[in-house]
Amino acid sequence: MKALVLSGGTGSRLRPITHTAAKQLVPVANKPVLFYGIESLVAAGVTDIGIIVGDTAAEIRTAVGDGSRFGARVTYLPQEQPLGLAHAVLIARDWLGDDDFVMYLGDNFVVGGIAELVDEFRKTRPDARILLTKVPDPSAFGVAELSPEGRVVRLEEKPSDPRSDLALVGVYLFTPGVHDAVRAIEPSARGELEITDALQWLVDAGRTVQSTVISGYWKDTGNATDMLEVNRTVLEGLPPAVLGDVDDASELVGRVRIEAGASVVRSRIVGPAVIGAGSVVRDSYIGPSTSVADGCLISGSEVEFSIVLGDSRIENAGRIEGSLIGRMVRMSGAARAPRAHRLVLGDHSQVQIAP
């Protein structure tokens, strides 16, 4: 079995962060979201991985390499334009050959992995198996309708009037029969080859499309709010450790990880939280569900429920919460401002905020 990991796309919902970085490489608990997906595939015994790449191909290649660090073998498959999930299958046809495969969206996050799902698929080999989960706003996703017996009867991409609350999770399993479907369908009104249309073609052709409704945690990390929620979830399972320096005037409470080379001075950190290698936290408070990446400085400030990317400086900035802060950001105190701030800042931003 092979895996097709989708890492193209523009990441428009995460702008301005994704103006300068691939959305799949935005870190959760200081590790790119894409890495969690690759690790999940390897844990399920799928080590031959093709990664669909677009405009951010060079960045993805630099981060992932040949896959050996994950115990995988990675092949890069260029997609000139993001023309739909089924289009990704179409352009990967030669590489996939006649193998079964998992299609995994590189910006999705499934807690608990997919090993059981892959094992079951290998045993039963339906033409396709999809993962579903109940969501409050199904119109933002591909939606599946099931019969009373649980059979997949209808699928639709981002419907204005959803027929169910079951959204497709970004993990799909296919036998080679799906190649007939992606060749048969036409572009949707959005100009894309929709995987939901390919799945509907399989259903209409009498092929076997099975579903698994998951109750565990799943997130499409396509926007800042979901990124912060995933960060919170991952941090709750992070093993605590003090590998850097913490002075006697500082206090660590709960599940806190201080990476090697990091320094905590006269500060209070309440977990779950992680402070990246080489970062300095001085005269500050770091609250729960916060990850600070490598090489940052936080001084005279409060940061809670936030993600701070590498080499950023937050000095005398008052209280920051619910924020996604890019790389090499500079934040400093200003004369007047609200005590709490909610921000999404792109790389190399410079912001003045009152302490």
Side-chain angles (χ1 to χ4, degrees), residues 100-156:
D100 296 348
F101 67 98
V102 184
M103 185 167 72
Y104 198 113
L105 274 60
D107 59 353
N108 275 226
F109 193 93
V110 181
V111 171
I114 60 170
E116 290 185 11
L117 179 76
V118 170
D119 287 344
E120 179 64 23
F121 182 82
R122 282 174 165 142
K123 293 174 185 175
T124 59
R125 295 194 72 241
D127 293 283
R129 178 175 284 277
I130 58 176
L131 268 66
L132 304 172
T133 191
K134 292 187 176 182
V135 296
D137 181 18
S139 64
F141 303 94
V143 175
E145 181 183 358
L146 305 182
S147 72
E149 298 79 26
R151 291 184 299 105
V152 179
V153 295
R154 183 178 174 85
L155 301 108
E156 193 173 2

Side-chain angles (χ1 to χ4, degrees), residues 141-300:
F141 303 94
V143 175
E145 181 183 358
L146 305 182
S147 72
E149 298 79 26
R151 291 184 299 105
V152 179
V153 295
R154 183 178 174 85
L155 301 108
E156 193 173 2
E157 186 66 27
K158 296 181 174 63
S160 56
D161 185 19
R163 301 165 70 96
S164 85
D165 61 354
L166 292 173
L168 276 75
V169 173
V171 180
Y172 309 78
L173 297 100
F174 295 112
T175 63
V178 73
H179 298 300
D180 295 333
V182 298
R183 285 195 301 267
I185 62 174
E186 298 291 334
S188 67
R190 302 193 306 162
E192 298 187 3
L193 290 176
E194 311 285 4
I195 199 66
T196 44
D197 290 344
L199 288 163
Q200 187 65 52
W201 187 93
L202 291 172
V203 171
D204 294 342
R207 308 285 183 89
T208 303
V209 178
Q210 297 178 351
S211 66
T212 299
V213 179
I214 63 172
S215 57
Y217 189 87
W218 163 77
K219 277 289 184 182
D220 168 6
T221 61
N223 61 55
T225 299
D226 287 341
M227 285 292 302
L228 293 171
E229 287 296 336
V230 171
N231 193 60
R232 183 209 300 269
T233 299
V234 176
L235 286 174
E236 287 174 351
L238 195 70
V242 178
L243 306 177
D245 297 323
V246 179
D247 72 356
D248 292 339
S250 296
E251 182 182 15
L252 306 184
V253 180
R255 191 179 292 272
V256 175
R257 186 175 182 89
I258 310 296
E259 299 289 3
S263 178
V264 180
V265 181
R266 297 184 301 274
S267 297
R268 187 169 192 259
I269 301 180
V270 178
V274 58
I275 309 300
S279 287
V280 176
V281 178
R282 182 189 304 124
D283 299 316
S284 295
Y285 167 77
I286 305 298
S289 306
T290 299
S291 60
V292 177
D294 297 352
C296 294
L297 169 65
I298 299 179
S299 177

Side-chain angles (χ1 to χ4, degrees), residues 291-323:
S291 60
V292 177
D294 297 352
C296 294
L297 169 65
I298 299 179
S299 177
S301 305
E302 299 181 6
V303 183
E304 184 168 328
F305 186 46
S306 295
I307 298 173
V308 182
L309 274 61
D311 300 308
S312 290
R313 300 173 67 95
I314 302 174
E315 301 178 83
N316 303 315
R319 181 175 176 83
I320 308 297
E321 61 182 29
S323 300

